Amino acid sequence: MSDHIPIASPPARGLTDRTAIVTGAAGGIGAACVMRLGSAGAQVRALDRDVTGLAELALKAREAGLDVETVPLDLGDLDAAEEAAVGADILVNNAGIQLVRPIEDFPPDAFHRILSVMLEAPFRLLRGALPHMYGQGWGRIVNISSVHGLRASPYKSAYVAAKHGLEGLSKTAALEGARHGVTSNCVSPGYVRTPLIERQLADQAEAHGLPPERVLTDVMLAGQALKRLVEPEEVAEAVAYLCGPHASFITGSTLTMDGGWTAR
């Protein structure tokens, strides 16, 4: 059986006239979210520092007839991140970076960079987006967290800290936004088939002294009941659901897509 799970996206246009922002949009989960929200009728603003990846995404979106604007942006520029979110009806905080090292060997500047991009930038994007959402009485915030927002793993101190913080930020936004018609939720997948995971395989192989192919089966997926990677399109479907009309009463929650990892 193939590990790839085909996803047939329904053609529903329930997000017509909504503006959606997706960060980390040039590939992986972000690109899948851009295409899925665009297929639901949203005007999507795709943010990423990867100019080449954005160009490829723009071409794919045009071929599909989707309304997608690509915006080259490094989320380390926090003021620019906040400004980019002004006027958004939907905010998908997806951008992430990773470094795998023991705490005693973890470079402080890398720790700071990861927390800045993965926690402080979402906070600043929220600051930019919420006034418009509150003013119109409707908004959807979806934060792409991780099983590492619920569980820790060795050698990932910055990533785990950032994702735990994002889960808390999301819940706080849910409590504050409820009276304004704004929902805030997390989608927390296990390991997703993305370039980030491919880079992690190499880092984990070095940390554990194993070949990369054994890292996937013996380390990364050891705690999962379902022994496969999550597909980016599966995560995008969860995001689209949380932005749609049937999820209007879901807020302050985490939709966990971890193959049974946290069931143990």
Side-chain angles (χ1 to χ4, degrees):
M1 178 184 293
S2 171
D3 285 339
H4 291 272
I5 307 300
I7 302 295
S9 299
R13 307 283 291 179
L15 298 179
T16 299
D17 298 327
R18 299 295 187 187
T19 297
I21 287 181
V22 179
T23 68
I29 294 171
C33 288
V34 168
M35 298 300 291
R36 181 63 185 87
L37 294 175
S39 75
Q43 300 172 331
V44 187
R45 205 176 304 162
L47 276 54
D48 205 295
R49 64 177 180 175
D50 180 357
V51 176
T52 301
L54 285 178
E56 294 172 354
L57 175 66
L59 176 59
K60 184 178 178 182
R62 283 197 300 272
E63 291 174 345
L66 305 182
D67 187 355
V68 174
E69 174 192 4
T70 57
V71 181
L73 178 67
D74 186 335
L75 291 181
D77 185 341
L78 297 171
D79 290 338
E82 183 170 330
E83 183 177 351
V86 172
D89 304 306
I90 296 166
L91 173 61
V92 180
N93 283 311
N94 168 69
I97 51 180
Q98 177 65 285
L99 181 66
V100 180
R101 295 286 188 279
I103 292 174
E104 67 272 20
D105 297 328
F106 211 102
D109 59 340
F111 191 96
H112 179 268
R113 169 71 176 172
I114 290 171
L115 268 290
S116 178
V117 169
M118 293 175 55
L119 184 55
E120 192 169 3
F123 160 72
R124 295 294 294 273
L125 286 153
L126 280 168
R127 274 180 52 89
L130 284 176
H132 169 72
M133 292 181 181
Y134 286 0
Q136 69 180 359
W138 191 95
R140 296 290 179 266
I141 301 158
V142 183
N143 299 297
I144 306 301
S145 181
S146 165
V147 67
H148 283 115
L150 308 171
R151 298 285 189 273
S153 288
Y155 311 118
K156 298 182 179 182
S157 55
Y159 190 88
V160 169
K163 291 301 189 182
H164 273 68
L166 186 62
E167 294 269 351
L169 177 64
S170 183
K171 290 179 172 63
T172 301
L175 295 178
E176 294 184 10
R179 66 190 180 93
H180 301 285
V182 175
T183 66
S184 175
N185 295 286
C186 286
V187 175
S188 298
Y191 289 107
V192 184
R193 193 186 304 279
T194 65
L196 179 63
I197 290 300
E198 293 174 358
R199 291 192 292 270
Q200 281 189 52
L201 281 171
D203 285 343
Q204 288 274 23
E206 180 181 354
H208 291 276
L210 294 172
E213 60 272 15
R214 284 194 56 200
V215 169
L216 182 62
T217 57
D218 297 357
V219 179
M220 285 189 167
L221 302 184
Q224 286 189 192
L226 298 177
K227 300 298 184 183
R228 68 171 177 86
L229 297 174
V230 187
E231 300 299 331
E233 292 78 12
E234 292 179 277
V235 181
E237 287 295 334
V239 171
Y241 169 71
L242 289 172
C243 293
H246 298 295
S248 63
F249 203 67
I250 301 174
T251 196
S253 296
T254 298
L255 199 168
T256 306
M257 305 177 67
D258 65 357
W261 188 337
T262 54
R264 294 180 181 272

